PDB file of all heavy atoms in Angstrom:
ATOM      1  N   ARG A 143     -38.901  43.133  20.924  1.00  0.00           N
ATOM      2  CA  ARG A 143     -39.709  42.407  21.912  1.00  0.00           C
ATOM      3  C   ARG A 143     -40.473  41.258  21.251  1.00  0.00           C
ATOM      4  O   ARG A 143     -41.082  41.421  20.182  1.00  0.00           O
ATOM      5  CB  ARG A 143     -40.684  43.353  22.606  1.00  0.00           C
ATOM      6  CG  ARG A 143     -41.733  42.678  23.478  1.00  0.00           C
ATOM      7  CD  ARG A 143     -42.371  43.646  24.446  1.00  0.00           C
ATOM      8  NE  ARG A 143     -41.446  43.961  25.544  1.00  0.00           N
ATOM      9  CZ  ARG A 143     -41.740  44.801  26.545  1.00  0.00           C
ATOM     10  NH1 ARG A 143     -42.912  45.416  26.574  1.00  0.00           N
ATOM     11  NH2 ARG A 143     -40.863  45.027  27.508  1.00  0.00           N
ATOM     12  N   GLU A 144     -40.455  40.115  21.931  1.00  0.00           N
ATOM     13  CA  GLU A 144     -41.222  38.938  21.528  1.00  0.00           C
ATOM     14  C   GLU A 144     -42.226  38.649  22.644  1.00  0.00           C
ATOM     15  O   GLU A 144     -41.847  38.186  23.721  1.00  0.00           O
ATOM     16  CB  GLU A 144     -40.285  37.750  21.326  1.00  0.00           C
ATOM     17  CG  GLU A 144     -40.989  36.455  20.944  1.00  0.00           C
ATOM     18  CD  GLU A 144     -40.008  35.292  20.810  1.00  0.00           C
ATOM     19  OE1 GLU A 144     -38.780  35.539  20.686  1.00  0.00           O
ATOM     20  OE2 GLU A 144     -40.469  34.141  20.838  1.00  0.00           O
ATOM     21  N   PRO A 145     -43.514  38.928  22.451  1.00  0.00           N
ATOM     22  CA  PRO A 145     -44.499  38.840  23.530  1.00  0.00           C
ATOM     23  C   PRO A 145     -45.440  37.631  23.432  1.00  0.00           C
ATOM     24  O   PRO A 145     -45.815  37.198  22.340  1.00  0.00           O
ATOM     25  CB  PRO A 145     -45.301  40.132  23.356  1.00  0.00           C
ATOM     26  CG  PRO A 145     -45.291  40.348  21.871  1.00  0.00           C
ATOM     27  CD  PRO A 145     -44.044  39.685  21.303  1.00  0.00           C
ATOM     28  N   TYR A 146     -45.827  37.107  24.608  1.00  0.00           N
ATOM     29  CA  TYR A 146     -46.800  36.026  24.715  1.00  0.00           C
ATOM     30  C   TYR A 146     -47.834  36.398  25.783  1.00  0.00           C
ATOM     31  O   TYR A 146     -47.521  37.132  26.730  1.00  0.00           O
ATOM     32  CB  TYR A 146     -46.121  34.712  25.097  1.00  0.00           C
ATOM     33  CG  TYR A 146     -45.180  34.194  24.039  1.00  0.00           C
ATOM     34  CD1 TYR A 146     -43.856  34.634  23.990  1.00  0.00           C
ATOM     35  CD2 TYR A 146     -45.614  33.284  23.086  1.00  0.00           C
ATOM     36  CE1 TYR A 146     -42.991  34.175  23.005  1.00  0.00           C
ATOM     37  CE2 TYR A 146     -44.753  32.808  22.096  1.00  0.00           C
ATOM     38  CZ  TYR A 146     -43.440  33.264  22.066  1.00  0.00           C
ATOM     39  OH  TYR A 146     -42.590  32.814  21.090  1.00  0.00           O
ATOM     40  N   ILE A 147     -49.035  35.852  25.634  1.00  0.00           N
ATOM     41  CA  ILE A 147     -50.100  36.127  26.592  1.00  0.00           C
ATOM     42  C   ILE A 147     -50.750  34.830  27.039  1.00  0.00           C
ATOM     43  O   ILE A 147     -50.769  33.831  26.309  1.00  0.00           O
ATOM     44  CB  ILE A 147     -51.167  37.083  26.006  1.00  0.00           C
ATOM     45  CG1 ILE A 147     -51.769  36.495  24.711  1.00  0.00           C
ATOM     46  CG2 ILE A 147     -50.587  38.463  25.760  1.00  0.00           C
ATOM     47  CD1 ILE A 147     -52.925  37.312  24.158  1.00  0.00           C
ATOM     48  N   TYR A 148     -51.291  34.871  28.259  1.00  0.00           N
ATOM     49  CA  TYR A 148     -52.029  33.731  28.822  1.00  0.00           C
ATOM     50  C   TYR A 148     -53.176  34.336  29.629  1.00  0.00           C
ATOM     51  O   TYR A 148     -52.950  34.959  30.679  1.00  0.00           O
ATOM     52  CB  TYR A 148     -51.116  32.887  29.702  1.00  0.00           C
ATOM     53  CG  TYR A 148     -51.758  31.609  30.197  1.00  0.00           C
ATOM     54  CD1 TYR A 148     -51.900  30.503  29.360  1.00  0.00           C
ATOM     55  CD2 TYR A 148     -52.207  31.505  31.511  1.00  0.00           C
ATOM     56  CE1 TYR A 148     -52.479  29.321  29.811  1.00  0.00           C
ATOM     57  CE2 TYR A 148     -52.791  30.330  31.976  1.00  0.00           C
ATOM     58  CZ  TYR A 148     -52.927  29.247  31.110  1.00  0.00           C
ATOM     59  OH  TYR A 148     -53.508  28.079  31.570  1.00  0.00           O
ATOM     60  N   PRO A 149     -54.428  34.226  29.143  1.00  0.00           N
ATOM     61  CA  PRO A 149     -55.544  34.953  29.756  1.00  0.00           C
ATOM     62  C   PRO A 149     -55.777  34.698  31.246  1.00  0.00           C
ATOM     63  O   PRO A 149     -55.978  35.659  32.003  1.00  0.00           O
ATOM     64  CB  PRO A 149     -56.747  34.522  28.908  1.00  0.00           C
ATOM     65  CG  PRO A 149     -56.154  34.208  27.573  1.00  0.00           C
ATOM     66  CD  PRO A 149     -54.829  33.579  27.882  1.00  0.00           C
ATOM     67  N   PRO A 150     -55.764  33.452  31.753  1.00  0.00           N
ATOM     68  CA  PRO A 150     -55.948  33.286  33.200  1.00  0.00           C
ATOM     69  C   PRO A 150     -54.844  33.997  33.977  1.00  0.00           C
ATOM     70  O   PRO A 150     -53.657  33.748  33.768  1.00  0.00           O
ATOM     71  CB  PRO A 150     -55.875  31.765  33.390  1.00  0.00           C
ATOM     72  CG  PRO A 150     -56.273  31.189  32.066  1.00  0.00           C
ATOM     73  CD  PRO A 150     -55.710  32.135  31.055  1.00  0.00           C
ATOM     74  N   GLY A 151     -55.248  34.888  34.851  1.00  0.00           N
ATOM     75  CA  GLY A 151     -54.270  35.679  35.591  1.00  0.00           C
ATOM     76  C   GLY A 151     -53.802  36.899  34.832  1.00  0.00           C
ATOM     77  O   GLY A 151     -52.992  37.678  35.336  1.00  0.00           O
ATOM     78  N   ASN A 152     -54.300  37.083  33.586  1.00  0.00           N
ATOM     79  CA  ASN A 152     -53.878  38.197  32.738  1.00  0.00           C
ATOM     80  C   ASN A 152     -52.350  38.244  32.646  1.00  0.00           C
ATOM     81  O   ASN A 152     -51.712  39.266  32.909  1.00  0.00           O
ATOM     82  CB  ASN A 152     -54.432  39.530  33.272  1.00  0.00           C
ATOM     83  CG  ASN A 152     -54.242  40.672  32.290  1.00  0.00           C
ATOM     84  OD1 ASN A 152     -54.091  40.467  31.087  1.00  0.00           O
ATOM     85  ND2 ASN A 152     -54.231  41.892  32.820  1.00  0.00           N
ATOM     86  N   VAL A 153     -51.774  37.110  32.280  1.00  0.00           N
ATOM     87  CA  VAL A 153     -50.322  36.955  32.256  1.00  0.00           C
ATOM     88  C   VAL A 153     -49.767  37.430  30.916  1.00  0.00           C
ATOM     89  O   VAL A 153     -50.333  37.148  29.852  1.00  0.00           O
ATOM     90  CB  VAL A 153     -49.921  35.485  32.487  1.00  0.00           C
ATOM     91  CG1 VAL A 153     -48.408  35.328  32.438  1.00  0.00           C
ATOM     92  CG2 VAL A 153     -50.468  34.976  33.820  1.00  0.00           C
ATOM     93  N   ARG A 154     -48.644  38.109  30.995  1.00  0.00           N
ATOM     94  CA  ARG A 154     -47.923  38.550  29.805  1.00  0.00           C
ATOM     95  C   ARG A 154     -46.441  38.243  30.002  1.00  0.00           C
ATOM     96  O   ARG A 154     -45.855  38.649  31.010  1.00  0.00           O
ATOM     97  CB  ARG A 154     -48.131  40.040  29.557  1.00  0.00           C
ATOM     98  CG  ARG A 154     -47.452  40.587  28.295  1.00  0.00           C
ATOM     99  CD  ARG A 154     -47.856  42.042  28.085  1.00  0.00           C
ATOM    100  NE  ARG A 154     -47.169  42.641  26.952  1.00  0.00           N
ATOM    101  CZ  ARG A 154     -47.545  42.517  25.686  1.00  0.00           C
ATOM    102  NH1 ARG A 154     -48.612  41.787  25.395  1.00  0.00           N
ATOM    103  NH2 ARG A 154     -46.868  43.103  24.708  1.00  0.00           N
TER     104      ARG A 154
END
Side-chain angles (χ1 to χ4, degrees):
R143 170 162 285 179
E144 178 182 343
Y146 295 86
I147 57 174
Y148 186 77
N152 191 22
V153 179
R154 182 174 176 83

